[in-house]
Amino acid sequence: MFLDTVETIKDGAGFALFGTTHLIWIGAFIIAAISLSLIYRNLSPKARNVMRIAVASLILLDEVWKWVFLFIGNRYEHSYLPLHLCSINVFLVAFHIFRQPKVVNNFLYAICVPAGIIALLTPSWTALPPANFMHIHSFTIHILLAVYPLMLVAGGDIKPEVKMAPKCLLLLLCMGVIVLGVNFLCDTNFMFLMRTDDISFLVLFENLFRHHQWAFPILLPIVIGVMYLPIVIINKLKK
């Protein structure tokens, strides 16, 4: 059972949405986000760099750990290629260790953080039990991906700028076009562009509009607004 995936696990082995297991993981995210942000904020520049590299390294190791167990259990499928948004964010974090352009800074904040939080709140791996490598990986990788930018924002090393939002959306669109091509070629569902995979909010949009893809143009502006509105308010208060 430890080496099973959602494709091979027996029915009834998973966890309930917002049940005890799910709430424990959400609590772990909140504790990690607050504690690591406070620690990072009070470190010297040199110590911050060490912590930033350490957290980024944990993200990369978490992804490698997933692949090791996929091959050990002979569970590899094309659907596990790193082309979901959060998997792509793993590589953006790796790039961010060496260079921190404004568009990447803002993408990690405005796209990576909400993507990680939404995945934690509406997991697509509810079929998997706690004692399972993909269950553990799926929660820990999304926690780390959301915490990494949050801690840098708390420390002032990432300064979100509203004017960078269009570039972030353009970068996301470019990713989506490439991933859509892979989906058609390999019959996959990266970025959930093809199917809902029973994710609750996507199912809701499918029921309301007949096509779940409406969720993306409707929710993206809302998400961007939610992420940047506090920044706008804070900047105005400072002035």
Side-chain angles (χ1 to χ4, degrees):
M1 189 174 290
F2 180 79
L3 291 174
D4 275 309
T5 61
V6 292
E7 293 83 13
T8 64
I9 195 73
K10 64 181 181 181
D11 291 338
F15 63 96
L17 198 66
F18 296 109
T20 302
T21 298
H22 191 194
L23 290 175
I24 288 172
W25 280 112
I26 292 173
F29 161 67
I30 294 171
I31 292 169
I34 294 173
S35 58
L36 291 180
S37 294
L38 289 174
I39 291 169
Y40 187 85
R41 187 183 180 112
N42 291 291
L43 292 177
S44 66
K46 185 176 180 179
R48 282 186 180 190
N49 192 49
V50 171
M51 186 173 176
R52 183 169 60 85
I53 292 172
V55 175
S57 298
L58 283 176
I59 292 171
L60 292 170
L61 287 172
D62 203 326
E63 184 67 15
V64 170
W65 179 73
K66 177 194 79 173
W67 281 92
V68 168
F69 280 104
L70 279 174
F71 284 111
I72 288 175
N74 195 27
R75 306 300 193 201
Y76 169 78
E77 295 184 12
H78 289 323
S79 59
Y80 287 101
L81 289 170
L83 292 175
H84 273 300
L85 179 56
C86 288
S87 297
I88 295 171
N89 287 338
V90 171
F91 297 103
L92 283 180
V93 169
F95 173 80
H96 195 262
I97 295 175
F98 304 100
R99 291 189 62 190
Q100 299 85 40
K102 287 185 178 181
V103 65
V104 175
N105 282 343
N106 281 265
F107 192 93
L108 289 175
Y109 169 74
I111 305 296
C112 185
V113 171
I117 292 174
I118 291 171
L120 289 170
L121 294 176
T122 60
S124 60
W125 56 92
T126 53
L128 300 173
N132 175 274
F133 84 99
M134 278 301 295
H135 174 108
I136 298 168
H137 161 77
S138 296
F139 275 114
T140 55
I141 195 72
H142 288 102
I143 288 172
L144 289 168
L145 283 169
V147 166
Y148 179 86
L150 286 174
M151 120 184 142
L152 269 66
V153 171
D157 292 339
I158 286 181
K159 294 180 173 63
E161 300 178 47
V162 179
K163 65 181 181 181
M164 298 303 297
K167 290 186 178 180
C168 291
L169 291 173
L170 180 60
L171 178 57
L172 181 61
L173 178 62
C174 292
M175 291 178 181
V177 170
I178 295 171
V179 166
L180 185 62
V182 175
N183 284 338
F184 280 118
L185 185 65
C186 300
D187 190 27
T188 48
N189 189 33
F190 296 119
M191 288 191 176
F192 306 105
L193 294 175
M194 314 300 286
R195 300 178 295 278
T196 66
D197 277 0
D198 294 327
I199 295 176
S200 54
F201 78 94
L202 292 179
V203 172
L204 175 64
F205 273 87
E206 187 172 60
N207 292 336
L208 288 174
F209 302 104
R210 299 184 62 186
H211 299 286
H212 77 280
Q213 290 91 344
W214 280 106
F216 305 117
I218 292 173
L219 290 181
L220 266 174
I222 296 173
V223 169
I224 293 295
V226 168
M227 295 304 293
Y228 279 108
L229 183 59
I231 304 301
V232 172
I233 293 172
I234 290 169
N235 289 339
K236 285 188 177 295
L237 289 174
K238 285 181 178 179
K239 289 180 180 179

